[in-house]
Amino acid sequence: MFTFTPLMAGSLSSSVQQGSGAMQIEIRKGLALYPGTFNAVIAPEKEIIAAINSNTDLQRFLFLYISGNYSRILSGINRQSKNFDVRRGFTAHQLFTILREAGYTVVFIEHDPSLFDGAFEMLEPIANALKELARESLVILYTPLADRTFSALARKADHYLEIVPTEENKYPIRTSRLMRQCGLRPNGQTTLEVS
């Protein structure tokens, strides 16, 4: 069973743990994403753009933004930091190479399902590369809408978050219909408690 945590508007913030110098991204009070974790995130584009742009502490850390053949959100992200790098993978093999070479504090991957057209054999190696990269970095695999390739990559995620605004409650907890339909469960996933 999955438990998803809602994101409050503008609440993605970065802070340094006292005395450790380690970076964390707090999604909501009491729930933070840390280096050493692989996080699969489904959220509206405007929410993720606002979260990245409002997090000024991210400028202090090496941040790698990876996109595929196209990006829905890159043009909205404030990229004035000298620590913000952008790489594009036009094929699944290029994405795999980028992940294997990455040495950043934060690695943000905007999922592009077109990279896997005719390259489904790369899903497992890329999922493994994301998990391996998360040993030293905070890894965020992002999509505004889950598909089968995203769900296959997210199987290795430590956390799986879905942020869905509605009229009644801007950010309710909701399970992913695609995940339920496919019977998918990320390996090693930690259930996130919501208070």
Side-chain angles (χ1 to χ4, degrees):
M1 176 153 156
F2 298 104
T3 304
F4 300 97
T5 303
L7 173 68
M8 301 306 195
S11 68
L12 184 67
S13 65
S14 176
S15 62
V16 176
Q17 291 178 334
Q18 291 203 357
S20 72
M23 197 250 341
Q24 71 179 14
I25 297 176
E26 188 173 61
I27 291 187
R28 70 183 299 209
K29 189 174 182 170
L31 177 64
L33 303 179
Y34 295 92
T37 61
F38 168 26
N39 305 275
V41 178
I42 304 168
E45 295 165 19
K46 66 180 182 176
E47 297 301 323
I48 206 74
I49 291 169
I52 292 171
N53 286 341
S54 67
N55 194 334
T56 57
D57 282 344
L58 285 179
Q59 295 179 12
R60 296 184 0 221
F61 301 98
L62 295 175
F63 189 105
L64 176 61
Y65 182 95
I66 303 171
S67 69
N69 292 308
Y70 64 92
S71 174
R72 295 177 175 176
I73 65 172
L74 186 58
S75 63
I77 295 175
N78 178 358
R79 296 176 282 167
Q80 296 178 353
S81 170
K82 292 179 181 172
N83 295 329
F84 190 99
D85 290 331
V86 177
R87 299 278 312 267
R88 295 187 95 164
F90 297 104
T91 67
H93 294 280
Q94 288 177 348
L95 174 60
F96 181 74
T97 300
I98 293 168
L99 293 172
R100 299 289 294 180
E101 296 173 352
Y104 292 78
T105 309
V106 180
V107 179
F108 184 97
I109 303 100
E110 183 179 356
H111 176 63
D112 180 354
S114 71
L115 297 182
F116 299 96
D117 292 344
F120 289 111
E121 75 280 357
M122 290 302 295
L123 286 170
E124 187 70 19
I126 289 174
N128 289 334
L130 290 166
K131 186 68 173 176
E132 179 70 24
L133 182 58
R135 288 184 176 180
E136 301 293 326
S137 303
L138 167 55
V139 176
I140 302 168
L141 175 64
Y142 164 75
T143 189
L145 182 64
D147 59 24
R148 288 188 185 273
T149 56
F150 178 86
S151 297
L153 294 170
R155 288 181 186 184
K156 303 265 184 186
D158 298 305
H159 302 110
Y160 194 103
L161 308 170
E162 184 175 16
I163 302 154
V164 182
T166 65
E167 297 243 350
E168 294 174 1
N169 181 355
K170 280 192 156 189
Y171 304 96
I173 298 168
R174 180 174 158 185
T175 58
S176 171
R177 182 175 52 91
L178 180 63
M179 292 292 285
R180 286 192 312 269
Q181 286 175 342
C182 297
L184 299 175
R185 180 182 176 125
N187 292 335
Q189 175 174 337
T190 303
T191 302
L192 302 175
E193 297 297 327
V194 179
S195 54

